[in-house]
Amino acid sequence: MHDLRKSYGDREVLHGLDLAVETGEVFALLGPNGAGKTTTVEILEGYRRRDGGDVCVLGTDPEQADADFRARIGIVLQSSAVYPTLTVEEIVALFAGYYPAPRDPDEVLVLVGLEDKCRARVRTLSGGQLRRLDLALALVGDPELIFLDEPTTGFDPAARRQAWNTLRGMRELGKTILLTTHYMEEAETLADRVAILRNGRIVATGPPRALLAEHVAVEIRFRRDGEEVVIDTDEPTRVLHELTAEALAAGVELEALEVQRRSLEDVYLEVTREGA
Amino acid sequence: MKLFGRELLAQQRLFWRSREAAFFTFALPIVFLLLLGSVYGDDEIDGIRGSTFLLAGLLGYGVVATAFAGLAITLVVRRESGVLKRVRGTPLPTSVYLAAVIASTLVVVALEVVVQLLVGRYVIDADWPASPGALALALFLGSVTFASLGLAVTGLVRSAEGSSAVVNAIYLPLTFASGVFFSVDSLPGFLQAIATVSPLTYLLDLVRAEFIAGRDLADSGTEIAVLAGWGLAGLLVALRWFRWEPREA
Ligand SMILES: Nc1ncnc2c1ncn2[C@@H]1O[C@H](COP(=O)(O)OP(=O)(O)O)[C@@H](O)[C@H]1O
Ligand SMILES: [Mg+2]
């Protein structure tokens, strides 16, 4: 997509986004609430109309989305919604019937870890189980491209890890995945590439490691005279060498010495704070 | 076609699973028929047996309760909970989906008519319809008209909680004003004024003409034209204001 713009009323919320997601890639759109993640994803899914720019998804303009296009994408919306009176297996089978070449519904339920709940009514599911059902409905059509808008928000850590495993499995099948999240850890562990969105602008983009490398990458902490010293550097070898040489020469110990690679979270906080 | 058939079955399952909807749209007209039939079934209204008058009226009432009120409330609840949005994200064409939802409503109306006729005949001693074929056509036309008005009214309702309030505020007064339970002639002036524009009045005229007098459909041009006009108006409003996404934002 190129120079994507969107306004609600006279308020422009996307100010010209450029983004390209490669086939087979897991791409994370990271940003705080209100940054424009959902707006962007729903434009790509064909739900919302853009006010400017060019968008091409699987060779189609999503505003012209037809059944063929929709058969090739899977969608997890930010908030889940399915018929509460159906059972889990009924709704998955119903959705499977909408697609020309669906996966086996039972297999999909195993994949998302809902096989024990297959006869439960949807309205009896917990929030996390509903989210997994959403994921099942997104996967059952066997799509090439999967959109996930905050797929693990509200999950406990174990459920999140399981969802990550499911998504990794999808990647191994060659699926392209575009997910939004405000969990750095999620982007860092899952994504091949990340774009950080702030106030409708992309402020950083690249593989998580490259984003880290671009920004101050390593943090060195120790205590001197009872005071904590923190040094941020992208030349940790030289800095450490100088520090330890100095300490050796003075015959003192660098107390509580710690060398830490900075996480994507730090980078994220840094770029989303700048000028905000 | 296969998609349509499967969706129709799914919609039937959804309808019967939802107890409240099934009660208010399917069972309530039958309850009314039994209760009111036992009250004034043996009286005479507009020169005919009370139970027959009532049965014909409640056939029309069932159409409105199911095709208009039930359909509109169901669609608003599905829209606001995000179900319609999610369905629109699948390859199922929206036209097939809506067609299946409406067809499912018509199936419910048809079943209800059959039950009402049986209860009417064997429990409250009403007559059989004089011309069943014409009656079926009249009820079909009425159902399509009210389904189209039901789609239209979803555009007026902003929230799921408001849906039954708005829909009931429209259809309950219509029910009284249009002569479901009593003859319109016995109503006060302002209700009679409503009756002259209410599509339900014309549907009931049509139903009673077919049911009681066995009149030829071709002689009911006015009623048919008014119903078709309302149906068309509803369709135009629906095309303009029907939404698939919640109104939250
Ligand atoms: N339908 C809408 N109408 C008006 N404003 C909206 C609508 N949807 C989103 N917004 C606004 O657009 C901005 C971006 O929202 P959104 O795309 O939902 O962000 P995110 O998903 O990153 O939290 C927010 O300021 C939000 O208030
Ligand atoms: Mg969002």
Side-chain angles (χ1 to χ4, degrees):
Chain A
M1 70 194 198
H2 173 64
D3 194 32
L4 175 63
R5 287 170 189 278
K6 171 77 187 175
S7 310
Y8 294 115
D10 351 319
R11 198 162 69 88
E12 192 173 75
V13 297
L14 298 180
H15 314 283
L17 306 189
D18 294 292
L19 203 69
V21 178
E22 307 295 326
T23 308
E25 183 173 52
V26 177
F27 194 98
L29 200 55
L30 196 58
N33 281 332
K37 303 182 298 296
T38 298
T39 303
T40 306
V41 171
E42 293 203 352
I43 288 172
L44 299 178
E45 291 163 344
Y47 278 117
R48 306 192 193 191
R49 308 194 139 254
R50 61 186 182 270
D51 297 309
D54 302 313
V55 178
C56 177
V57 179
L58 299 173
T60 314
D61 178 345
E63 283 186 11
Q64 256 78 61
D66 56 6
D68 291 335
F69 174 78
R70 296 195 188 285
R72 296 171 66 197
I73 66 171
I75 295 174
V76 171
L77 293 172
Q78 182 165 348
S79 54
S80 53
V82 274
Y83 301 113
T85 52
L86 293 187
T87 67
V88 168
E89 61 185 358
E90 282 169 348
I91 184 101
V92 176
L94 178 64
F95 271 61
Y98 295 157
Y99 292 84
R103 299 176 57 122
D104 174 30
D106 296 331
E107 219 177 273
V108 173
L109 285 176
V110 172
L111 209 60
V112 300
L114 276 181
E115 68 274 24
D116 297 338
K117 286 279 170 189
C118 63
R119 280 172 216 285
R121 294 283 173 102
V122 169
R123 69 159 156 258
T124 66
L125 298 185
S126 73
Q129 290 165 343
L130 273 178
R131 227 45 200 138
R132 281 186 267 160
L133 177 58
D134 287 335
L135 184 58
L137 296 181
L139 299 180
V140 76
D142 200 18
E144 298 161 43
L145 169 61
I146 306 166
F147 294 100
L148 306 135
D149 197 356
E150 300 192 10
T152 65
T153 298
F155 277 29
D156 60 47
R160 176 163 304 132
R161 237 149 269 272
Q162 194 192 0
W164 290 351
N165 282 332
T166 309
L167 292 180
R168 285 200 196 96
M170 288 297 104
R171 190 205 356 226
E172 267 143 40
L173 291 175
K175 310 294 181 193
T176 308
I177 299 176
L178 176 62
L179 68 99
T180 79
T181 180
H182 50 238
Y183 298 111
M184 308 329 116
E185 204 194 343
E186 187 156 296
E188 209 172 346
T189 42
L190 281 183
D192 300 310
R193 284 196 306 137
V194 176
I196 300 179
L197 194 62
R198 174 169 57 90
N199 292 337
R201 288 199 170 79
I202 291 178
V203 289
T205 175
R209 280 173 184 286
L211 279 185
L212 287 170
E214 256 174 48
H215 294 77
V216 189
V218 174
E219 191 178 79
I220 300 171
R221 293 168 177 269
F222 59 95
R223 293 167 83 84
R224 181 159 47 199
D225 308 328
E227 278 199 31
E228 174 129 70
V229 181
V230 181
I231 300 172
D232 288 335
T233 177
D234 28 21
E235 294 175 293
T237 318
R238 188 181 58 75
V239 174
L240 260 185
H241 182 76
E242 285 172 10
L243 277 173
T244 48
E246 214 175 280
L248 275 178
V252 296
E253 185 63 33
L254 286 174
E255 277 173 65
L257 176 66
E258 241 179 77
V259 181
Q260 211 172 32
R261 201 173 66 92
R262 298 224 308 174
S263 70
L264 193 56
E265 177 144 12
D266 301 314
V267 176
Y268 169 73
L269 290 175
E270 194 179 308
V271 296
T272 51
R273 204 183 300 119
E274 274 166 26
Chain B
M1 210 51 216
K2 199 171 146 212
L3 276 177
F4 174 81
R6 217 164 15 198
E7 190 62 26
L8 178 59
L9 283 181
Q11 292 302 326
Q12 277 292 298
R13 176 179 274 164
L14 283 164
F15 178 84
W16 298 106
R17 286 262 172 98
S18 151
R19 299 266 150 68
E20 318 84 79
F23 177 77
F24 279 106
T25 57
F26 189 82
L28 201 56
I30 296 161
V31 172
F32 279 148
L33 188 61
L34 288 169
L35 285 179
L36 297 175
S38 67
V39 176
Y40 58 79
D42 295 329
D43 301 353
E44 209 169 83
I45 301 176
D46 283 357
I48 51 167
R49 220 182 117 66
S51 55
T52 304
F53 180 91
L54 185 65
L55 172 57
L58 283 172
L59 288 176
Y61 171 81
V63 166
V64 181
T66 308
F68 174 75
L71 179 69
I73 292 172
T74 302
L75 285 175
V76 170
V77 169
R78 286 185 190 170
R79 181 188 74 203
E80 292 307 311
S81 66
V83 169
L84 293 187
K85 179 177 183 178
R86 186 64 190 83
V87 169
R88 197 167 70 104
T90 72
L92 181 71
T94 50
S95 53
V96 172
Y97 180 77
L98 280 182
V101 171
I102 292 170
S104 169
T105 307
L106 297 185
V107 169
V108 175
V109 172
L111 287 174
E112 190 173 311
V113 167
V114 170
V115 176
Q116 279 179 303
L117 288 177
L118 292 174
V119 169
R121 181 70 195 91
Y122 295 110
V123 181
I124 60 168
D125 208 20
D127 297 326
W128 282 121
S131 45
L135 176 70
L137 277 176
L139 290 171
F140 178 75
L141 172 67
S143 303
V144 172
T145 297
F146 278 99
S148 144
L149 291 169
L151 288 185
V153 93
T154 61
L156 302 177
V157 185
R158 312 208 133 255
S159 69
E161 299 76 50
S163 64
S164 10
V166 173
V167 168
N168 289 336
I170 297 174
Y171 106 99
L172 290 178
L174 273 196
T175 306
F176 282 98
S178 309
V180 169
F181 305 112
F182 322 99
S183 167
V184 173
D185 303 334
S186 64
L187 294 173
F190 76 99
L191 284 182
Q192 289 201 23
I194 297 180
T196 57
V197 291
S198 159
L200 182 54
T201 310
Y202 295 89
L203 175 60
L204 290 176
D205 282 351
L206 197 57
V207 167
R208 290 201 171 108
E210 306 314 335
F211 196 106
I212 296 155
R215 190 164 72 188
D216 206 55
L217 267 185
D219 299 329
S220 301
T222 318
E223 286 84 358
I224 291 173
V226 172
L227 283 176
W230 272 105
L232 204 61
L235 191 64
L236 292 177
V237 171
L239 286 174
R240 174 73 184 73
W241 279 292
F242 186 81
R243 295 173 42 127
W244 291 84
E245 298 194 18
R247 305 195 73 124
E248 97 277 65

